[in-house]
Amino acid sequence: NNSITMALAGNPNAGKTTLFNRLTGARQHVGNYPGITVAHKEGHFTQDDQKVTLTDLPGTYSLTAYSVEEIVTRDFLTTQKPDVVINIVDASNIERNLYLTTQFLEMGVPLIIALNMIDVAKDRGIEIQSQKLAELLGVTVVPIVARSGEGTEELIRQAINVAKSDKIWTSRDISYGDDLDEVLMEIITLINESSFLVNNYNPRFTGIKYLEHDDQMLTKGQEADPLLAKKLEQTVGSISDHLLKTMDVYPEAIIADHRYGFIKSIVRQGVMTHAFDIDRLY
Ligand code: GDP
Ligand code: MG
């Protein structure tokens, strides 16, 4: 009974439930996460003699602690540690969808991208070079049409490969500019010097969340190691004050800007091509 565990994650309307239902059929059960009204959907299937347990996570645009869906998603990933996370990306809306992807990369979870809705993208004259995207992100990308089932068998074959691989996933270093990169290094050093690992998050992800003033992370930090938490808060506090005074900006805004910059730089390296050249229309 060596069942592999997979989690489906992505923006609302990216096609999670469509894929989940296609894969699990009637072999699914729905409950609630403890204490909240967010549905916990789990199902089972077998492919290539491999048993799989699949969880359909709530749709999210980000992994901050601003909504219950975001908290459920990241808590699930850190406490249940699925063997692979299938990040469903809407190919017709790729830049917006990759914002969440950057955060999975930063969490360092075992990841594969299901590039969904390629039929919709095609109708809009958009073609995604999935191989190029895979190279640039450093994760496998499989184009699918969840509604028709096109590509889904290959997706699961590749997801099983990722789940069984002994690759060690670490946090992807996205640069947030000199100021924040330096502070992140300080935070990572502080965390590595202690026994403190908030909620199983890697130090870089914890540092980013501190910079984003993530309430849940701050609370967990204080519970885990009050002394270190204080140091982290002071470090973040002084850079926040500095950025506010000199640039009138909060760290979270800088972080969001750099995430979008990272995505744009990837998409512009030949990942997204148009059937016609939009620029020439103007
Ligand atoms: P979720 O919010 O991520 O669970 O998304 P859903 O599975 O509910 O899908 C949102 C909508 O997109 C539904 O109307 C689906 O039928 C539709 N949909 C899902 N996958 C595809 C696809 O590959 N192609 C097309 N054209 N529509 C899709
Ligand atoms: Mg859904």
Side-chain angles (χ1 to χ4, degrees):
N1 182 30
N2 294 331
S3 193
I4 278 178
T5 53
M6 300 186 180
L8 285 179
N11 288 10
N13 293 315
K16 288 178 303 302
T17 301
T18 305
L19 180 62
F20 180 81
N21 289 342
R22 173 167 288 284
L23 291 170
T24 62
R27 289 146 305 177
Q28 46 176 271
H29 37 98
V30 184
N32 271 353
Y33 288 94
I36 49 173
T37 55
V38 176
H40 176 269
K41 284 179 72 178
E42 196 181 271
H44 304 273
F45 64 93
T46 302
Q47 184 180 308
D48 308 325
D49 292 328
Q50 177 62 58
K51 282 186 192 166
V52 177
T53 300
L54 182 68
T55 299
D56 187 17
L57 291 172
T60 53
Y61 295 106
S62 187
L63 289 180
T64 53
Y66 294 130
S67 74
V68 66
E69 287 80 8
E70 294 177 339
I71 291 177
V72 163
T73 297
R74 61 185 215 190
D75 280 354
F76 183 88
L77 296 183
T78 46
T79 60
Q80 304 303 308
K81 294 189 180 300
D83 296 316
V84 58
V85 176
I86 301 177
N87 176 202
I88 304 204
V89 165
D90 175 355
S92 70
N93 208 344
I94 192 161
E95 290 196 21
R96 185 183 193 182
N97 276 248
L98 287 177
Y99 190 80
L100 178 64
T101 307
T102 60
Q103 294 175 71
F104 290 134
L105 292 172
E106 290 175 327
M107 270 186 92
V109 292
L111 197 67
I112 184 168
I113 290 176
L115 189 63
N116 193 31
M117 311 247 187
I118 49 169
D119 56 330
V120 180
K122 232 170 245 168
D123 287 347
R124 294 191 195 158
I126 299 166
E127 203 170 317
I128 310 289
Q129 307 302 320
S130 51
Q131 200 46 48
K132 185 86 192 165
L133 180 63
E135 279 164 33
L136 294 170
L137 290 176
V139 298
T140 305
V141 177
V142 183
I144 66 165
V145 180
R147 196 186 257 178
S148 71
E150 186 186 335
T152 54
E153 209 180 307
E154 176 65 10
L155 170 69
I156 297 307
R157 189 169 302 129
Q158 296 295 339
I160 291 171
N161 285 344
V162 173
K164 287 186 165 172
S165 138
D166 46 19
K167 169 175 172 158
I168 293 171
W169 292 78
T170 53
S171 185
R172 172 75 180 249
D173 280 13
I174 295 169
S175 171
Y176 296 120
D178 290 344
D179 283 334
L180 293 189
D181 285 351
E182 200 184 307
V183 170
L184 271 174
M185 291 299 290
E186 281 174 37
I187 291 176
I188 290 166
T189 306
L190 284 171
I191 293 174
N192 283 338
E193 280 170 356
S194 87
S195 55
F196 163 78
L197 213 54
V198 181
N199 234 13
N200 286 325
Y201 293 115
N202 70 56
R204 189 176 171 86
F205 189 79
T206 303
I208 293 165
K209 291 300 151 194
Y210 262 83
L211 285 168
E212 289 179 323
H213 295 282
D214 185 297
D215 284 339
Q216 192 207 33
M217 191 66 86
L218 291 169
T219 305
K220 298 251 181 199
Q222 280 158 5
E223 287 166 9
D225 185 340
L227 245 149
L228 177 67
K230 188 151 199 137
K231 278 190 218 164
L232 296 182
E233 285 170 30
Q234 279 167 352
T235 308
V236 167
S238 59
I239 187 69
S240 298
D241 290 347
H242 173 73
L243 292 173
L244 255 181
K245 259 184 226 139
T246 56
M247 294 196 282
D248 197 23
V249 71
Y250 288 97
E252 49 263 56
I254 298 180
I255 289 171
D257 277 356
H258 279 81
R259 279 198 192 118
Y260 281 117
F262 172 79
I263 294 163
K264 271 198 173 21
S265 79
I266 281 181
V267 169
R268 282 179 187 161
Q269 289 177 63
V271 163
M272 189 164 77
T273 52
H274 289 86
F276 52 89
D277 188 352
I278 286 177
D279 292 338
R280 289 175 57 190
L281 293 174
Y282 299 98

